[in-house]
Coordinates of all heavy atoms in Angstrom, one line a residue:
A116 N -11.7 13.6 -8.6 CA -12.8 12.8 -8.8 C -12.7 12.0 -10.2 O -13.1 10.8 -10.2 CB -14.2 13.6 -8.9
L117 N -12.2 12.7 -11.2 CA -12.1 12.0 -12.4 C -11.1 10.8 -12.4 O -11.3 9.8 -13.0 CB -11.7 13.0 -13.5 CG -11.4 12.4 -15.0 CD1 -12.7 11.9 -15.5 CD2 -10.9 13.5 -15.9
V118 N -10.0 11.0 -11.6 CA -9.0 10.0 -11.5 C -9.6 8.7 -10.8 O -9.4 7.6 -11.3 CB -7.9 10.4 -10.6 CG1 -7.0 9.3 -10.0 CG2 -7.0 11.5 -11.3
E119 N -10.4 8.9 -9.7 CA -11.1 7.7 -9.1 C -12.1 7.1 -10.1 O -12.3 5.9 -9.9 CB -11.7 8.2 -7.8 CG -10.8 8.7 -6.8 CD -9.7 7.7 -6.5 OE1 -9.9 6.5 -6.4 OE2 -8.5 8.2 -6.4
I120 N -12.8 7.8 -11.0 CA -13.7 7.2 -11.9 C -13.0 6.3 -12.9 O -13.5 5.2 -13.2 CB -14.6 8.3 -12.6 CG1 -15.4 9.0 -11.5 CG2 -15.4 7.8 -13.7 CD1 -16.2 10.2 -12.1
V121 N -11.9 6.7 -13.4 CA -11.2 6.1 -14.5 C -10.2 5.0 -14.1 O -9.7 4.2 -15.0 CB -10.7 7.1 -15.6 CG1 -11.7 8.0 -16.1 CG2 -9.5 7.8 -15.0
Q122 N -9.8 5.1 -12.9 CA -8.7 4.2 -12.4 C -9.0 2.7 -12.6 O -8.2 2.0 -13.0 CB -8.3 4.5 -11.0 CG -7.2 5.5 -10.9 CD -6.7 5.7 -9.4 OE1 -7.3 5.2 -8.5 NE2 -5.4 6.1 -9.3
P123 N -10.3 2.3 -12.4 CA -10.6 0.9 -12.6 C -10.3 0.4 -14.0 O -10.2 -0.8 -14.3 CB -12.0 0.7 -12.2 CG -12.2 1.8 -11.2 CD -11.4 3.0 -11.7
W124 N -10.4 1.3 -15.0 CA -10.1 1.0 -16.5 C -8.6 0.6 -16.6 O -8.3 -0.1 -17.6 CB -10.4 2.1 -17.3 CG -11.8 2.5 -17.3 CD1 -12.9 1.9 -16.6 CD2 -12.4 3.7 -17.9 NE1 -14.1 2.6 -16.8 CE2 -13.8 3.7 -17.6 CE3 -11.9 4.7 -18.7 CZ2 -14.7 4.7 -18.0 CZ3 -12.8 5.7 -19.1 CH2 -14.2 5.7 -18.7
F125 N -7.7 1.0 -15.7 CA -6.3 0.7 -15.8 C -5.9 -0.2 -14.7 O -4.7 -0.2 -14.3 CB -5.6 2.0 -15.7 CG -5.9 3.0 -16.8 CD1 -6.9 3.9 -16.6 CD2 -5.1 3.0 -18.0 CE1 -7.3 4.9 -17.6 CE2 -5.5 3.9 -19.0 CZ -6.5 4.8 -18.8
H126 N -6.7 -1.1 -14.2 CA -6.4 -2.1 -13.3 C -6.0 -1.5 -12.0 O -5.1 -2.1 -11.2 CB -5.3 -3.0 -13.8 CG -5.7 -3.7 -15.1 ND1 -6.6 -4.7 -15.2 CD2 -5.3 -3.5 -16.3 CE1 -6.8 -5.1 -16.4 NE2 -5.9 -4.4 -17.1
R127 N -6.5 -0.3 -11.7 CA -6.3 0.3 -10.3 C -7.7 0.3 -9.7 O -8.7 0.1 -10.2 CB -5.8 1.7 -10.5 CG -4.5 1.9 -11.3 CD -3.3 1.6 -10.4 NE -3.2 2.7 -9.4 CZ -2.4 3.7 -9.5 NH1 -1.8 3.9 -10.6 NH2 -2.3 4.6 -8.5
T128 N -7.6 0.6 -8.2 CA -8.8 0.5 -7.4 C -9.3 1.9 -7.2 O -8.5 2.8 -6.9 CB -8.5 -0.3 -6.1 OG1 -7.4 0.4 -5.5 CG2 -8.2 -1.7 -6.3
A129 N -10.6 2.1 -7.3 CA -11.2 3.4 -7.0 C -11.6 3.3 -5.5 O -12.2 2.3 -5.1 CB -12.5 3.6 -7.9
D130 N -11.3 4.3 -4.7 CA -11.6 4.3 -3.3 C -11.8 5.7 -2.8 O -11.2 6.7 -3.2 CB -10.3 3.7 -2.5 CG -10.6 3.6 -1.0 OD1 -11.7 3.4 -0.7 OD2 -9.6 3.7 -0.3
M131 N -12.9 5.8 -2.0 CA -13.2 7.1 -1.4 C -12.1 7.6 -0.5 O -11.9 8.9 -0.4 CB -14.6 7.0 -0.6 CG -15.0 8.3 0.1 SD -15.2 9.6 -1.2 CE -16.7 9.0 -2.0
G132 N -11.4 6.8 0.1 CA -10.3 7.2 0.9 C -9.2 7.8 0.1 O -8.6 8.9 0.6
D133 N -8.9 7.3 -1.1 CA -8.0 8.0 -1.9 C -8.5 9.4 -2.3 O -7.7 10.3 -2.4 CB -7.8 7.2 -3.3 CG -7.1 5.9 -3.0 OD1 -6.7 5.6 -1.9 OD2 -7.1 5.0 -4.0
F134 N -9.7 9.5 -2.6 CA -10.3 10.8 -2.9 C -10.1 11.8 -1.7 O -9.8 13.0 -1.9 CB -11.7 10.7 -3.3 CG -12.5 12.0 -3.6 CD1 -12.1 12.7 -4.8 CD2 -13.3 12.6 -2.7 CE1 -12.8 14.0 -5.1 CE2 -13.9 13.8 -3.0 CZ -13.7 14.5 -4.1
M135 N -10.4 11.4 -0.5 CA -10.3 12.2 0.7 C -8.8 12.6 0.9 O -8.5 13.7 1.3 CB -10.8 11.5 1.9 CG -12.3 11.2 1.8 SD -13.3 12.6 1.4 CE -13.0 13.7 2.8
W136 N -7.9 11.7 0.7 CA -6.5 12.1 0.8 C -6.1 13.1 -0.3 O -5.3 14.1 0.0 CB -5.5 10.9 0.6 CG -5.3 10.0 1.7 CD1 -5.7 8.6 1.8 CD2 -4.8 10.3 3.0 NE1 -5.5 8.1 3.1 CE2 -4.8 9.1 3.8 CE3 -4.3 11.5 3.5 CZ2 -4.4 9.1 5.1 CZ3 -3.8 11.4 4.9 CH2 -3.9 10.3 5.6
G137 N -6.7 13.0 -1.5 CA -6.4 14.0 -2.5 C -7.0 15.4 -2.1 O -6.4 16.4 -2.3
M138 N -8.2 15.3 -1.5 CA -8.8 16.6 -1.1 C -7.9 17.3 0.0 O -7.9 18.5 0.1 CB -10.3 16.4 -0.6 CG -11.2 15.9 -1.6 SD -11.4 17.1 -3.0 CE -12.1 18.5 -2.0
A139 N -7.3 16.5 0.9 CA -6.4 17.0 1.9 C -5.2 17.7 1.2 O -4.8 18.8 1.7 CB -5.9 15.9 2.8
G140 N -4.7 17.1 0.2 CA -3.6 17.7 -0.6 C -4.0 19.0 -1.2 O -3.3 19.9 -1.3
I141 N -5.2 19.0 -1.9 CA -5.8 20.3 -2.5 C -5.9 21.4 -1.5 O -5.7 22.5 -1.6 CB -7.1 20.0 -3.1 CG1 -6.8 19.0 -4.3 CG2 -7.7 21.2 -3.7 CD1 -8.0 18.5 -5.0
G142 N -6.4 21.0 -0.2 CA -6.5 22.0 0.9 C -5.2 22.6 1.2 O -5.0 23.8 1.4
A143 N -4.2 21.7 1.4 CA -2.7 22.2 1.7 C -2.2 23.0 0.6 O -1.6 24.1 0.8 CB -1.9 21.0 2.0
A144 N -2.5 22.7 -0.7 CA -2.0 23.4 -1.8 C -2.8 24.8 -1.9 O -2.1 25.8 -2.2 CB -2.2 22.7 -3.1
T145 N -4.0 24.8 -1.5 CA -4.7 26.1 -1.5 C -4.2 27.0 -0.5 O -4.1 28.3 -0.7 CB -6.2 25.9 -1.3 OG1 -6.7 25.0 -2.2 CG2 -7.0 27.1 -1.2

Side-chain angles (χ1 to χ4, degrees):
L117 180 62
V118 164
E119 297 305 319
I120 291 174
V121 303
Q122 270 189 336
W124 301 350
F125 298 90
H126 305 287
R127 300 281 292 268
T128 56
D130 184 28
M131 180 58 68
D133 294 352
F134 178 74
M135 297 308 297
W136 280 120
M138 293 301 295
I141 293 170
T145 303

